[in-house]
Amino acid sequence: QELLGADIRFRLTQREVSEAERAWISSLGTVGESATMRSMAQRADGTDQALVEVKAVDATYPLYGELKTQPVLDHAAMFGQADGVFGAVAPALLLDRLGIAVGDQVTLGKAHFQIRAELITEPDAVSESFGFAPRLMVSMEGLRAAGLIQPGSLVQYSYKVRFDTPRTANQLEELREEASKRFPLAGWNMRTYDNAAPALSANVE
C-alpha cells in the first residue's frame, strides 16, 4: 500500500477522468489525485534551467506512507500560494543542479514557485514511472497555473483510492472486473496493492 500509495490506482494518459468515472471512483473510498509530466524548471534570474519530473498532488497526499521533507511542513505551507507564488519541494539533486537553496524561486511554465522544503522521501516513488530527471513536487493548482497542460501534452493523471474497509484478493479482482465492465473504453491502467510494483517484484523473484 505504501509502495503504490493506495489500495487501487487508476492511471490515465493525456486526459482526466469523466464525471461518471470520478463519481464511481469516489464511491470506493478516499481519493487522491495527482499528475506527472516532464518539463523544464528555470532559475528565477533565468541564468540556468534543468529538466524535471513534475509531480502535482492534492491535499490528501499521501494516502499511505509519509512524505518526508526538511523542514517538515503541512500541505498548505508546502504548496500553497502566497503573493502570487506557489510552493514546491525538490530533492538536493535539483537544488544543487540549479545552484539554489530552500527559499529560492524557480519558474515552471508561466508560474513562479518558491522551494519551501527539501524532498527527502517520496513514499510511492517506486511505483511511479521511471524518472530521467529530479523530482519537482507542486500542488495541482500550481501545475494548472503553470499552463503546461495543453492539448497533446504528455501528462499522466493518477487517481488513488484508500478503501474505507479492507478488501480480499477476490474482492480486488471483482473490483477490477467491475471497472472494466462499467467503463470498457476508459483506457486506464489499474493497479492494486497486491501488485504495487511489478518490475521490483520481478527483480526480487
Side-chain angles (χ1 to χ4, degrees), residues 14 25 53 86 91 97 100 103 117 120 164:
Q14 294 183 301
I25 292 174
E53 299 281 352
F86 290 90
R97 188 168 292 180
I100 60 176
I120 307 299
D164 294 331

Side-chain angles (χ1 to χ4, degrees), residues 178-201:
E178 181 183 357
S180 297
K181 289 178 180 178
R182 281 177 177 266
F183 307 102
L185 302 180
W188 50 30
N189 170 273
M190 286 181 286
R191 184 172 292 176
T192 50
Y193 69 83
D194 56 348
N195 188 29
L200 178 61
S201 297

Side-chain angles (χ1 to χ4, degrees), residues 128-190:
E128 298 286 357
S129 301
F130 178 75
F132 290 94
R135 176 70 79 204
L136 180 66
M137 191 173 292
V138 301
S139 66
M140 292 294 292
E141 294 80 8
L143 179 60
R144 293 188 178 101
L148 296 174
I149 302 177
Q150 302 290 337
S153 296
L154 189 57
V155 53
Q156 289 188 323
Y157 294 95
S158 293
Y159 301 86
K160 298 184 176 184
V161 182
R162 179 171 183 150
F163 297 142
D164 294 331
T165 56
R167 299 192 183 217
T168 64
N170 287 339
Q171 288 174 322
L172 287 176
E173 182 58 35
E174 291 171 358
L175 183 58
R176 287 191 286 264
E177 292 176 0
E178 181 183 357
S180 297
K181 289 178 180 178
R182 281 177 177 266
F183 307 102
L185 302 180
W188 50 30
N189 170 273
M190 286 181 286

Side-chain angles (χ1 to χ4, degrees), residues 2-5 9 11 124-129 160 191 196-197:
E2 289 190 16
L3 293 179
L4 185 62
R9 182 192 70 193
R11 173 170 285 175
D124 53 351
V126 72
S127 64
E128 298 286 357
S129 301
K160 298 184 176 184
R191 184 172 292 176

